[in-house]
Amino acid sequence: MKQLAIRRIAVLVSIGRHPVSGVPRYSRNDAAALGLAHDLARHALDISIDVIHAGQADNPALPEYLALGATRVSVIEPAADQDVLPALQEQLQGYDLVLCGSRAESGEASGMLPYRLAARLNLPLLAGVIAVTSGSDAIVAEQFLPKGRRREVVLSLPALLTVHSLAPSRLRYAYARLRAGRISSQAFPAGTGTAGSEWRIENVKALPRKLAAPEKRSGHARMQAATVAESRGGKVLQEGSAADKAQAVLAYLREHHLVDY
């Protein structure tokens, strides 16, 4: 094993929900971040990993992170009407690397927390990471890109990384680790942070279904389109009245049987 620049890693974890039953469970995205931290610790002498959760210590899903390999989960308990960002900012001082999932399992806006936290901590942020190797003064992160592409990015420390859900992980659930680990909590001082009156919780709304013309290409052509950027064709209308342009759009929809009038 060699001496690396990373000494302390913080892994931020949240609570997920089963997509069918809605029962609380560990977040699969944050579990991928925990797996990446353990991969780094396997190749170093003295890397410490702290798993941190902002919420309630009695949540039944938290012990699942112990079963996945966390020796302890540190819980910050802000008041119900407080923002968790100030508490996390105070807790994350002095870490070389902060890891978390790309988003929690609680709606589209959940992916904003890493960006807001990186701005508060004045840390560089790299999204969609699937692997990290560490040197003596920097890290090299492999970033997931669309169409199967990858990119290596060199980052100086400290830094914050969001881990892609497709990152490989060797974590295995073990009940013995769940019994041996522990959950510790500390209350965040009241009167600090953003008041809850500025937040509004709403049910997730169904998104409109996008109209798409049916595929008429062969399987080979569709496979090539998945890996090679290509033009989709089409026609750009710059001349004519608004009625002419609307008529062209309507003709396209009728041609591909996307409307029935």
Side-chain angles (χ1 to χ4, degrees), residues 51-59 62 72-78 91 182-188:
V51 180
I52 301 172
H53 171 71
Q56 301 303 313
D58 58 354
N59 193 294
L62 281 181
R72 184 183 69 172
V73 177
S74 300
V75 181
I76 309 169
E77 295 190 90
Q91 188 75 14
R182 63 190 182 93
I183 296 175
S184 62
S185 64
Q186 62 182 42
F188 189 63

Side-chain angles (χ1 to χ4, degrees), residues 6-72:
I6 302 174
R7 294 290 179 272
R8 301 180 66 200
I9 299 177
V11 181
L12 306 183
V13 297
S14 60
I15 303 301
R17 289 191 176 277
H18 191 277
V20 178
S21 65
V23 174
R25 67 173 187 183
Y26 70 90
S27 170
R28 295 183 180 272
N29 290 341
D30 296 331
L34 180 59
L36 190 60
H38 279 280
D39 287 343
L40 282 169
R42 288 191 187 98
H43 301 90
L45 295 172
D46 54 355
I47 289 181
S48 65
I49 301 174
D50 294 332
V51 180
I52 301 172
H53 171 71
Q56 301 303 313
D58 58 354
N59 193 294
L62 281 181
E64 296 187 5
Y65 288 107
L66 300 176
L68 291 174
T71 56
R72 184 183 69 172

